[in-house]
Amino acid sequence: MDDVETRELRYFVAVAEELHFGRAALRLGMAQPPLSRAIRQLEERVGVRLFDRDRRGVRLTPAGEALLREAPAALDAVRAAVRRARRAGAPKRRLVLATKAGSSHEFLQALLDAAPDDLPVDVALCEIGEQAGLLRDGTADVAVMHRPFDDFAGIDAVDLYSEPQVAIVPASHPLARRRSLTMAEVSSVPDLPMARWPLADWTYPPGPGPEVHSQSQLAQLVALGRTLLVIPRSSRAWQWPEHVAVPVLDAPLATTVLAWPAGRSTPSVARLVETGLRIGAAEAAASA
């Protein structure tokens, strides 16, 4: 079997997702005849039929379904490899650190202040749950993430320190006057349903609370008295004057970690992780 080209895989994915050669050709910006020839050539290379074609339309064969499960990840890996190579060959190589906006602010500031002078670090601020994608696609080298919330599939990480969580509630709500709360109390407030964060597959858990996907959206919904949320104590950096943070006594501890793509640690990443471990140990000692 000859090697399969990434171009052919890209064509295959377009046809497999559209299940229509005309729409796939339009999506790819090409004519239909060369697309059909490319798919036939791919089937010859792989040695199996990938599509059934008849008057009723285009359908994936079992072999095509299997390839569709694997092909997008293969294309993503190629794009990530090219992006990493370009960044590694840049005249002024800089380490890119991804972090959720407003997350672990004190730790992040301490990490940047303590980073060696010959290790320039750029910060890529992102929204909820986006750090893993930035690591996988080669945009970022290392990320500040949190257990048990973030997706660590295909990612290596070291735990730095753990901390309690707090409920962020509207300052005008009666809960804002409480000294502490429990998870049962914050989970069942009729007029203040808990915000729903996206899961690892970007779907949302069931519930009456609003679906949130950005820090600014979430902050305003809390200020308007439409929702509350439970977050690590150190994430209060983005708290508005209209918010109040109340400790949640039985919330699971949140663990801040430094993460990088599995098996892709570099000397620069290792040096930053070593710095992070020293700062994390100091954070843990201070909160003990």
Side-chain angles (χ1 to χ4, degrees):
M1 181 186 70
D2 294 332
D3 291 337
V4 172
E5 299 178 2
T6 56
R7 173 183 57 87
E8 294 172 325
L9 276 185
R10 187 163 53 85
Y11 291 175
F12 164 78
V13 170
V15 176
E17 291 179 346
E18 298 291 344
L19 291 179
H20 190 283
F21 276 82
R23 289 195 299 268
L26 184 63
R27 167 175 158 181
L28 292 165
M30 62 187 299
Q32 183 173 335
L35 175 60
S36 297
R37 288 195 296 271
I39 293 299
R40 285 195 298 270
Q41 182 176 340
L42 175 62
E43 290 176 321
E44 291 174 2
R45 289 184 192 274
V46 177
V48 294
R49 193 175 69 257
L50 300 173
F51 296 98
D52 284 328
R53 312 161 180 84
D54 56 32
R55 293 179 180 178
R56 291 176 296 176
V58 178
R59 297 180 306 280
L60 283 165
T61 65
E65 292 174 352
L67 184 58
L68 182 58
R69 287 193 293 270
E70 304 289 344
L75 290 171
D76 288 344
V78 171
R79 284 190 285 265
V82 171
R83 188 175 289 115
R84 291 189 182 103
R86 286 173 176 165
R87 291 182 52 236
K92 296 182 179 179
R93 178 76 166 94
R94 301 180 69 87
L95 200 68
V96 176
L97 169 68
T99 183
K100 185 170 60 182
S103 173
S104 301
H105 177 74
E106 292 86 356
F107 166 77
L108 179 61
Q109 187 63 67
L111 179 64
L112 295 175
D113 290 344
D117 292 338
D118 62 341
L119 184 61
V121 179
D122 288 338
V123 177
L125 295 178
C126 59
E127 294 292 354
I128 300 164
E130 292 182 347
Q131 304 99 305
L134 295 177
L135 291 177
R136 294 187 188 113
D137 72 10
T139 299
D141 303 291
V142 64
V144 178
M145 299 174 68
H146 295 87
R147 302 187 196 275
F149 315 109
D150 288 319
D151 173 20
F152 288 89
I155 289 173
D156 291 334
V158 294
D159 294 356
L160 302 178
Y161 64 93
S162 298
E163 61 181 314
Q165 297 197 73
V166 296
I168 304 295
V169 302
S172 59
H173 196 275
L175 289 182
R177 297 191 288 273
R178 294 281 300 275
R179 295 178 62 88
S180 63
L181 293 164
T182 65
M183 284 300 299
E185 289 172 324
V186 299
S187 300
S188 58
V189 185
D191 62 334
L192 204 64
M194 187 178 295
R196 290 181 291 148
W197 307 79
L199 302 173
D201 62 358
W202 294 104
T203 62
Y204 286 86
E211 297 179 353
V212 296
H213 56 267
S214 72
Q215 299 281 41
S216 57
Q217 174 200 26
L218 183 55
Q220 186 150 19
L221 286 171
V222 174
L224 291 172
R226 301 303 176 91
T227 191
L228 61 79
L229 70 149
V230 176
I231 59 173
R233 184 175 58 190
S234 63
S235 295
R236 291 176 295 178
W238 61 267
Q239 185 179 334
W240 291 12
E242 295 89 349
H243 302 164
V244 170
V246 183
V248 181
L249 299 180
D250 60 345
L253 291 177
T255 300
T256 297
V257 310
L258 276 178
W260 59 94
R264 297 187 181 277
S265 180
T266 65
S268 295
V269 168
R271 292 175 67 195
L272 191 67
V273 168
E274 182 181 352
T275 302
L277 285 169
R278 291 199 303 270
I279 295 170
E283 292 274 357
S287 60

